[in-house]
Amino acid sequence: MTGEYMLDEYEFDHLTLDQHGAIAVLTVNRPQALNALNGALLGELAQVADLIADHADIGVLIVTGGGDRAFVAGADISELSSLDGVYAGRELSLSGQDVMGRLSTLPIPVIAAINGFALGGGLELALACDVRVAAPGAKLGLPEASLGLIPGFGGTQRLARLVGMGRALDLMLTARQVTAEEALNMGLVNYVADEPLRRAREVAEQMLKNGPIALSLVKEAVRRGLDTSLEAGLEIEADLFGLTVATSDFREGTGAFLAKRRPEFKGE
């Protein structure tokens, strides 16, 4: 089914999915609930990750929130409050981690366009993306401790890897929210822009100028390397570097550079 249908043709209850050339835009669309993540929405996010993986014509995925107040304001508290017992909590956490893992391991760049509140599960969704663009008025945080919980969709692990243990513990232990500017200063977001979706598109277009195999293997090298020692990570880098040298894209990229022309990558 790769590339056979435009993504616009798929319908969801809590998401919209649009395709603009090689860019797909996924919008979490529960504005009446500040786009809070419930079980049904998590299931749809998992479906979208699988759809994107099946479409070779998609080079970058952008994730944003519907409405003008929230990216995703967190998990649905009404559903959370009905959890009863260790098993139910663990299963919800594993389900959320699975969804975020599917997004984070997509072989294409994923950009979060944070247009408002990104709290709890919303920040965890943004952390599963590769690059984050935030509106000046956005607020970000992992306030689960204020509910007697800990982050369960990957936040305790991804945040510390991104901004360091000290900053991550500060945010989680105080349950405080940070502004977009503070998030930028600590490395939690990459850009602050008045129109985050527009800026995300610009970043996506810049990425799409590069070799698609190279983009995928950059992600793989970083992701796998963070889970091992420096020495093992360098071995991973060397192996993947070798793979890129064997591609037609490498020949095209170096040939275009020497000929002083724009490369035409084909992902081969």
Side-chain angles (χ1 to χ4, degrees), residues 3-204:
E4 184 178 354
Y5 302 106
M6 293 292 284
L7 293 175
D8 311 60
E9 298 184 10
Y10 295 99
E11 294 185 0
F12 302 92
D13 291 330
H14 305 299
L15 303 170
T16 59
L17 189 58
D18 303 303
Q19 183 176 348
H20 308 270
I23 300 173
V25 178
L26 169 64
T27 304
V28 181
N29 197 23
R30 291 186 72 212
Q32 74 283 1
L34 296 181
N35 302 323
L37 299 177
N38 59 12
L41 203 161
L42 284 172
E44 290 186 353
L45 283 172
Q47 292 177 48
V48 167
D50 292 342
L51 282 174
I52 296 295
D54 279 344
H55 277 258
D57 54 335
I58 297 301
V60 179
L61 173 65
I62 298 173
V63 183
T64 194
D68 57 4
R69 296 184 60 197
F71 172 71
V72 171
D76 192 309
I77 303 301
S78 61
E79 281 196 4
L80 275 180
S81 65
S82 67
L83 290 175
D84 184 21
V86 172
Y87 178 79
R90 186 174 190 275
E91 288 303 301
L92 176 61
S93 177
L94 290 174
S95 175
Q97 289 175 2
D98 175 69
V99 172
M100 304 308 168
R102 293 191 198 199
L103 288 170
S104 70
T105 56
L106 282 173
I108 61 172
V110 183
I111 304 172
I114 303 170
N115 55 308
F117 291 109
L119 305 174
L123 182 54
E124 288 171 309
L125 175 59
L127 288 169
C129 300
D130 303 305
V131 172
R132 285 154 291 281
V133 183
K139 294 292 182 67
L140 303 89
L142 292 176
E144 283 86 349
S146 67
L147 299 175
L149 294 169
I150 71 168
F153 293 174
T156 63
Q157 304 306 302
R158 288 194 175 92
L159 183 62
R161 284 167 168 78
L162 183 63
V163 303
M165 184 174 70
R167 289 190 176 99
L169 284 172
D170 173 50
L171 288 182
M172 288 184 281
L173 295 176
T174 62
R176 70 188 181 91
Q177 301 174 19
V178 298
T179 65
E181 287 296 337
E182 185 175 355
L184 179 66
N185 290 337
M186 69 171 62
L188 178 52
V189 302
N190 303 85
Y191 305 92
V192 175
D194 290 332
E195 299 180 52
L197 181 55
R198 178 178 178 178
R199 183 70 180 108
R201 289 184 191 276
E202 292 172 350
V203 174

